[in-house]
């Protein structure tokens, strides 16, 4: 599993390549060397709805972690950059999230699993339930049809 909390998928490709190279040197069949992605993610009915629901909790968490690690306070611009098409956050409407999942798989040469860090202290229970519903009813069929 490649855990991604920021950046782009391309930044993590060298880790996947290293894993596959080490597996091959150790004699493993390349088909058995599975790659998974764990990323920040949330699905809403629209891109803006998903971003607006997730941002407050993300900002709170990254501000706290940033204070511990000496980072500058997180901004909405940073968050939006990560949620944009080239960023590694899987946040948006079902089509946006599915497209980014497919991009991750393409970038890493195939993935067998994608898990999402969806929790945020500021997300209402109804929004979380809706996100899970959208994952199952809309995102998953798009992924299945594409693969």
């Amino acid at each position: 599993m490649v855990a991604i909390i920021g950046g782009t998928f391309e930044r993590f490709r060298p880790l996947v390549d290293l894993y596959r190279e080490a597996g091959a040197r150790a004699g493993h069949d390349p088909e058995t060397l599975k790659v998974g992605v764990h990323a920040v993610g949330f699905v809403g009915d629209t891109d803006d709805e998903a971003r607006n629901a997730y941002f407050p909790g993300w900002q709170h968490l990254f501000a706290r972690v940033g204070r511990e690690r000496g980072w500058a306070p997180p901004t909405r611009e940073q968050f939006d950059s990560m949620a944009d098409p080239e960023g590694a956050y899987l946040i948006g409407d079902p089509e946006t999230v599915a497209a980014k999942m497919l991009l991750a798989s393409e970038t890493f040469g195939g993935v067998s699993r994608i898990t999402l860090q969806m929790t945020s202290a500021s997300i209402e229970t109804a929004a979380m339930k809706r996100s899970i519903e959208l994952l199952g009813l809309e995102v998953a069929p798009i992924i299945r049809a594409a693969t």
Side-chain angles (χ1 to χ4, degrees):
M1 291 295 285
V2 180
I4 302 173
I5 63 167
T8 63
F9 298 127
E10 292 83 14
R11 288 186 57 206
F12 294 86
R13 178 62 194 248
L15 296 174
V16 173
D17 292 342
L18 180 62
Y19 162 70
R20 288 188 172 129
E21 291 167 14
R25 282 194 309 272
H28 294 281
D29 179 349
E31 295 300 315
T32 67
L33 299 173
K34 304 295 182 193
V35 173
V37 172
H38 181 70
V40 172
F42 189 76
V43 187
D45 288 303
T46 68
D47 287 347
D48 285 342
E49 180 184 297
R51 287 181 184 200
N52 291 337
Y54 202 87
F55 175 73
W58 174 89
Q59 184 181 40
H60 176 78
L61 173 64
F62 276 76
R64 187 189 58 163
V65 171
R67 282 190 301 275
E68 295 169 359
R69 298 180 184 181
W71 301 343
T75 67
R76 179 65 190 237
E77 292 76 24
Q78 289 170 319
F79 175 81
D80 284 339
S81 176
M82 297 297 177
D84 281 346
E86 297 302 316
Y89 289 176
L90 304 170
I91 297 175
D93 68 19
E95 293 80 17
T96 296
V97 171
K100 290 187 83 173
M101 288 178 169
L102 293 169
L103 175 63
S105 185
E106 179 183 323
T107 301
F108 295 133
V111 296
S112 64
R113 172 179 308 201
I114 296 178
T115 60
L116 301 181
Q117 177 60 44
M118 295 175 58
T119 57
S120 169
S122 67
I123 294 179
E124 297 292 328
T125 301
M128 185 63 76
K129 287 181 178 180
R130 179 68 177 147
S131 184
I132 293 167
E133 179 181 68
L134 290 169
L135 273 170
L137 296 177
E138 296 191 32
V139 176
I142 294 169
I143 300 298
R144 286 187 196 105
T147 58

